[in-house]
Amino acid sequence: MHELSVCQSMLRQVSEIARQHDARHVSRVKIRIGVLSGVVPDLLKQVFPVASAGTVAEGAQLSIKTLPVCVRCESCGTESEVEANKLICSACGDWHTQLVSGNELLLDSIEIESERGQAYV
């Protein structure tokens, strides 16, 4: 299960951002995960409390938005949302497509608590 190492890496980034903003605590972490990222959202949610223990994000809520797979057709130029195992153009049916999105794992925002109150960064 590589979700633990993914979560630990993400928390290092969260901790650095929190430090830059003089945050006392991170109360929410929002991420976006593409269907083809290789990361299982449910497993990431399970390991988050363990990985965040002892960090500025301990007790934080993890919000995950799953992103669909989108391709751009090399033949007709159409961008379309497709099934993860069927990367063909929905307009013309051609299989010559390029992946536009669906393989990302992005830290979207964090909600911090600092001397100045709560903020999203």
Side-chain angles (χ1 to χ4, degrees):
M1 171 171 59
H2 74 288
E3 280 74 10
L4 180 58
S5 62
V6 167
C7 198
Q8 289 169 328
S9 178
M10 175 188 61
L11 284 164
R12 282 191 291 275
Q13 186 178 8
V14 166
S15 294
E16 178 59 24
I17 293 167
R19 186 191 63 73
Q20 291 170 0
H21 292 276
D22 297 321
R24 294 186 307 223
H25 180 67
V26 173
S27 54
R28 178 178 296 198
V29 176
K30 291 184 177 183
I31 61 173
R32 295 181 286 164
I33 300 176
V35 173
L36 299 177
S37 69
V39 176
V40 180
D42 288 340
L43 292 178
L44 196 62
K45 278 192 172 191
Q46 287 178 11
V47 300
F48 184 78
V50 173
S52 64
T55 72
V56 70
E58 184 171 4
Q61 178 185 4
L62 178 63
S63 299
I64 299 175
K65 180 178 181 181
T66 304
L67 301 174
V69 178
C70 294
V71 296
R72 179 181 303 110
C73 181
E74 293 177 0
S75 297
C76 72
T78 300
E79 275 192 28
S80 55
E81 191 174 309
V82 296
E83 295 178 37
N85 60 350
K86 194 174 183 183
L87 305 179
I88 61 172
C89 178
S90 63
C92 71
D94 196 346
W95 58 272
H96 292 97
T97 59
Q98 292 181 341
L99 189 64
V100 174
S101 65
N103 62 344
E104 54 274 277
L105 174 58
L106 304 169
L107 177 59
D108 192 22
S109 67
I110 64 172
E111 183 178 344
I112 62 170
E113 297 171 10
S114 68
E115 295 293 325
R116 296 173 291 220
Q118 288 189 315
Y120 278 101
V121 290

